[in-house]
Amino acid sequence: MEEKKFDVQSIIGFVLIFGILIFMFYQNRPTPEELAAEKAKQEQVEAAKASENTETEAVDNNVSQLDLQDSTAVANYQGKLGAFGFTKPSNDITTLENDVLLLKISNKGGQIVEAKMKQFVTYDSVPVYLVKDGNASFGLDFSTSDNRVLNTADLYFEPTMTNDNGNQVLSLKAKTSNNQYLEYRYVMKPNDYLVDFTIKSKGLDNVISTSKPVTLDWKLKGIRHSKSIQYENRYTRLTYNHEDGKISKLSEGSDDEETEEDVKWISYRQHFFSSILAADEPFKSGDLTSVNLVEEESRTFGFTKEYASALPVELEGGEISKDLHWYFGPTDVDTLSKYEDLGLDDSIPFGWGIFGWINRYVFTPFYGLLSTYFPYGIAIVIMTILVRLAMSPVTYKSYLSQAKMKVLKPEITELGEKYKDNAMKKQQETMKLYGKAGVSPMSGCIPAVIQMPIFYALFMFFPTSFALRQKSFLWADDLSSFDTIYQFPEGFSIPFYGDHVSLFPILASIAIFFYMNMTTGQNMPTQPGMPNMKFIMYLMPFMMLFFFNNYASGLSLYYFVSNLITIGIMLVIKNVIIDNDKIHAQIQENKKKPKKENKFQKKMREMMEQAEAQKKK
């Protein structure tokens, strides 16, 4: 039997190419003067962006406060508002707070001006804010019967705080008289991220114009929470529920906008945290917009995407009445599943189709169970072992197919020499040989296809699993993000690789290299005039090294352990389970048995025979 061994020339070529690339990167690295100039340029660009963002926030989000000491300014303000000038201006802030969430709500606009997660911090240990420093705005656009166009963000509300069976209730009223008003009502429950929010008017049927639309406008700029803004932005996305339960998303990589019908809820997802506005009764339509703010990797830029939604609010008898809910909290399946009636857990990016189903109903609960008994990194290793053992029958089928093909290789080579001038005849005789031997050349591909859903489900699981956020293992300080064993100097980055070196992807690539060499590396055909397929197979781990350098370290850990286990399983199958002599004997017995053709095989044979006859003519 042919002895399997490493192709030394291919390995040398692989190492040389890697060395050449590193040398090129080293030679072309910027000088200290160029780095300093680039840093100064970057600081100028980001300062300009920050200035532009600040101006946009001041204009769009209406965060400017009225100088209450200036009686002339107050009088002018009240005159512009008409009947709504009745409410006395006040710049006070009211705080709603429980064990998990803190909200600050301004009398100006009656809107949330700060939303803080009390149990979570960012990568640099700063509290997680979803709303802060004017990054968000909320208001109703409407017209009055005296032809004024107003937005509630410009109105002042009068607050009243009460307690209802342990729930904090904040009522804010923009009054036109003592008994006529527009009310925002917030209800915060203990230890809950969901805040009930009601918009209701009383006695305004003659104040608000019924001939012109009332529109709810909600805008938010996603605040950066992760060490890599490009990585975080990859999983930052506007998701929405519409048309009786259909879940759709705007583009995560570019600017996008849509107009939809029957909008139930809108999620401004910021990777691991979400700001969600949900309605008991769907909005009839919605204009949704997402603008990508990230152009390149930056260690200082503070925003990911800018979201905007415009939703029509219907009047009932000339009055407004809309029951809504605010959710400010983690994009975590355990938390969001509590709001089953609203279906907020559908905003989690589990993946598409069967891949998302596997992620949601298999890997997420399975890993959650393991992580309750083991440290998070160890839980990944245990899950990997169990997954690979569950897939070992597939691995066995794949290797058995390779063993059969290897046994038939001398006969296939002989057919190639015999019919080297007649490709069609060669193919016909090869397929006939496969049929007699009971071997299917596709049987080795089927196991790979079966494993694809597992591969993709895990690919989505590790970067988006909230359970892995900021959980450390060995040298990785966050299993949901990339590990870093070396950080390049500021301003230096390798194209397609990044500004850091991650160790888990290196280990995973090495394991993939040895696995591929064991399975397909030695059996790849080499034909004159064609690329060296064996070398291409060796190049793949190198490409994976670049690809996974900026992905979740938990994913690289999984592939590293998975390939080590698979290599061990393959060695057991090869040296203990599979007997090549028995396989050869079985194939020879199969050749002696009459082979009954199915309709498809018969049709294919007849077509090939007709083509052969036509060629002879």
Side-chain angles (χ1 to χ4, degrees):
M1 299 298 292
E2 180 184 0
E3 182 183 358
K4 180 175 284 191
K5 58 184 179 180
F6 291 116
D7 187 331
V8 178
Q9 294 180 347
S10 293
I11 296 177
I12 293 174
F14 178 78
V15 172
L16 286 176
I17 284 187
F18 181 78
I20 291 171
L21 287 172
I22 295 298
F23 177 75
M24 291 173 62
F25 289 138
Y26 179 80
Q27 287 292 102
N28 294 320
R29 75 189 192 283
T31 63
E33 293 78 9
E34 291 173 334
L35 286 173
E38 180 63 26
K39 181 179 180 181
K41 180 181 177 181
Q42 183 67 21
E43 289 175 349
Q44 291 177 358
V45 171
E46 293 184 356
K49 287 182 179 179
S51 176
E52 180 182 347
N53 291 333
T54 302
E55 293 176 4
T56 301
E57 289 162 5
V59 174
D60 293 344
N61 298 344
N62 297 292
V63 297
S64 59
Q65 300 290 345
L66 179 66
D67 184 0
L68 302 183
Q69 304 302 318
D70 188 339
S71 58
T72 302
V74 171
N76 289 336
Y77 159 78
Q78 291 176 322
K80 290 179 181 179
L81 300 183
F84 281 97
F86 179 85
T87 304
K88 182 180 178 180
S90 169
N91 292 327
D92 290 343
I93 300 291
T94 304
T95 299
L96 295 178
E97 183 177 7
N98 57 25
D99 292 338
V100 297
L101 178 64
L102 183 147
L103 298 181
K104 291 186 177 181
I105 301 168
S106 174
N107 289 357
K108 174 71 179 294
Q111 60 180 308
I112 298 169
V113 294
E114 185 173 299
K116 173 185 174 182
M117 306 293 98
K118 297 181 66 175
Q119 298 183 346
F120 303 103
V121 296
T122 65
Y123 71 102
D124 51 357
S125 301
V126 174
V128 171
Y129 289 92
L130 300 183
V131 179
K132 195 176 190 300
D133 297 333
N135 75 307
S137 69
F138 175 87
L140 294 181
D141 283 312
F142 63 96
S143 299
T144 63
S145 56
D146 57 355
N147 294 320
R148 300 174 190 271
V149 179
L150 301 178
N151 189 298
T152 57
D154 297 319
L155 305 183
Y156 278 91
F157 288 71
E158 182 180 301
T160 303
M161 190 77 164
T162 58
N163 189 288
D164 182 13
N165 295 322
N167 299 330
Q168 301 171 59
V169 180
L170 173 63
S171 171
L172 297 117
K173 295 178 179 178
K175 297 181 177 180
T176 60
S177 71
N178 286 327
N179 299 316
Q180 295 174 299
Y181 52 83
L182 174 66
E183 181 186 23
Y184 284 176
R185 180 182 173 89
Y186 296 87
V187 180
M188 174 178 277
K189 297 174 283 293
N191 198 36
D192 200 336
Y193 292 102
L194 193 74
V195 176
D196 296 334
F197 178 59
T198 302
I199 304 174
K200 187 176 182 179
S201 67
K202 180 181 178 182
L204 299 184
D205 52 326
N206 292 323
V207 177
I208 298 177
S209 174
T210 58
S211 62
K212 296 180 181 179
V214 178
T215 304
L216 186 157
D217 288 317
W218 178 36
K219 298 177 182 178
L220 182 142
K221 291 172 64 176
I223 300 173
R224 174 187 189 159
H225 299 138
S226 300
K227 61 182 177 181
S228 169
I229 193 168
Q230 282 190 327
Y231 181 78
E232 179 178 5
N233 195 48
R234 187 180 299 148
Y235 302 100
T236 296
R237 199 169 188 181
L238 191 155
T239 307
Y240 53 98
N241 179 312
H242 64 113
E243 296 179 9
D244 196 24
K246 183 178 179 182
I247 307 299
S248 299
K249 307 174 183 66
L250 296 187
S251 173
E252 77 276 17
S254 61
D255 298 350
D256 196 7
E257 59 182 27
E258 288 289 349
T259 299
E260 301 289 1
E261 297 180 353
D262 298 325
V263 179
K264 176 73 172 178
W265 53 253
I266 301 167
S267 170
Y268 294 169
R269 189 175 77 239
Q270 299 166 235
H271 196 180
F272 284 121
F273 296 92
S274 296
S275 304
I276 303 176
L277 178 62
D280 285 347
E281 292 295 327
F283 295 94
K284 280 198 170 181
S285 64
D287 296 326
L288 312 175
T289 305
S290 174
V291 177
N292 185 30
L293 303 178
V294 178
E295 297 179 358
E296 59 186 13
E297 187 62 77
S298 169
R299 299 183 187 180
T300 58
F301 192 64
F303 299 101
T304 52
K305 286 185 173 68
E306 185 168 14
Y307 301 123
S309 299
L311 307 160
V313 177
E314 296 182 36
L315 298 178
E316 299 177 4
E319 301 283 3
I320 297 174
S321 180
K322 193 70 176 177
D323 294 323
L324 304 169
H325 307 273
W326 287 111
Y327 175 86
F328 296 100
T331 313
D332 173 41
V333 64
D334 292 335
T335 303
L336 290 172
S337 294
K338 297 176 182 177
Y339 315 111
E340 184 178 357
D341 55 331
L342 297 173
L344 300 187
D345 53 339
D346 289 330
S347 66
I348 301 174
F350 290 111
W352 173 81
I354 187 175
F355 312 112
W357 189 92
I358 294 173
N359 189 357
R360 181 172 187 168
Y361 296 108
V362 179
F363 289 128
T364 297
F366 183 44
Y367 181 77
L369 176 65
L370 291 176
S371 60
T372 58
Y373 297 101
F374 302 98
Y376 289 90
I378 299 299
I380 291 178
V381 175
I382 295 173
M383 184 173 77
T384 306
I385 294 172
L386 296 177
V387 169
R388 292 317 305 171
L389 288 177
M391 297 298 295
S392 58
V394 177
T395 305
Y396 171 76
K397 290 287 186 182
S398 177
Y399 198 89
L400 180 62
S401 175
Q402 294 177 28
K404 289 181 178 180
M405 295 293 290
K406 189 174 182 180
V407 169
L408 288 176
K409 187 175 181 180
E411 296 181 58
I412 294 173
T413 303
E414 184 179 342
L415 289 175
E417 289 295 324
K418 184 177 181 180
Y419 300 105
K420 61 182 178 181
D421 297 327
N422 190 336
M424 185 172 294
K425 185 66 174 177
K426 173 187 172 183
Q427 180 68 16
Q428 186 177 357
E429 292 299 320
T430 301
M431 296 304 295
K432 188 182 296 184
L433 174 63
Y434 286 150
K436 288 181 179 180
V439 175
S440 172
M442 294 299 296
S443 60
C445 301
I446 294 175
V449 173
I450 293 175
Q451 294 182 75
M452 281 302 295
I454 306 297
F455 173 88
Y456 183 77
L458 289 166
F459 184 78
M460 290 299 297
F461 170 77
F462 286 103
T464 59
S465 174
F466 192 85
L468 292 173
R469 181 181 182 269
Q470 295 184 346
K471 301 302 189 298
S472 61
F473 180 64
L474 299 177
W475 55 85
D477 56 7
D478 187 348
L479 287 168
S480 70
S481 184
F482 51 80
D483 62 295
T484 304
I485 59 169
Y486 178 73
Q487 183 74 51
F488 293 136
E490 187 172 353
F492 178 75
S493 177
I494 298 177
F496 307 108
Y497 186 74
D499 61 355
H500 63 278
V501 177
S502 298
L503 181 55
F504 275 129
I506 295 175
L507 297 175
S509 296
I510 293 173
I512 291 172
F513 170 78
F514 283 102
Y515 167 72
M516 295 184 69
N517 185 79
M518 285 182 61
T519 56
T520 57
Q522 296 297 322
N523 298 321
M524 295 298 294
T526 301
Q527 299 180 10
M530 296 295 291
N532 189 328
M533 298 301 293
K534 190 185 300 184
F535 176 73
I536 291 177
M537 295 299 292
Y538 289 153
L539 188 62
M540 188 175 177
F542 182 68
M543 296 170 62
M544 297 290 284
L545 173 65
F546 272 69
F547 184 78
F548 280 104
N549 192 62
N550 292 294
Y551 266 79
S553 54
L555 182 63
S556 299
L557 171 62
Y558 169 82
Y559 283 122
F560 170 57
V561 177
S562 176
N563 280 282
L564 285 182
I565 295 170
T566 305
I567 288 172
I569 292 174
M570 297 283 284
L571 288 173
V572 172
I573 292 173
K574 174 188 174 184
N575 298 314
V576 179
I577 299 177
I578 288 183
D579 187 327
N580 287 334
D581 292 334
K582 288 184 178 180
I583 292 175
H584 184 270
Q586 183 63 49
I587 288 177
Q588 300 308 316
E589 285 295 322
N590 291 340
K591 288 181 182 179
K592 298 175 183 178
K593 298 177 182 178
K595 185 68 175 178
K596 185 178 180 180
E597 292 180 320
N598 57 39
K599 292 182 179 180
F600 176 76
Q601 291 172 328
K602 182 179 180 181
K603 187 66 176 176
M604 288 296 296
R605 178 179 57 77
E606 290 175 350
M607 288 175 60
M608 295 182 71
E609 289 175 352
Q610 290 174 5
E612 181 67 18
Q614 186 66 29
K615 183 178 179 182
K616 289 181 179 179
K617 289 182 179 180

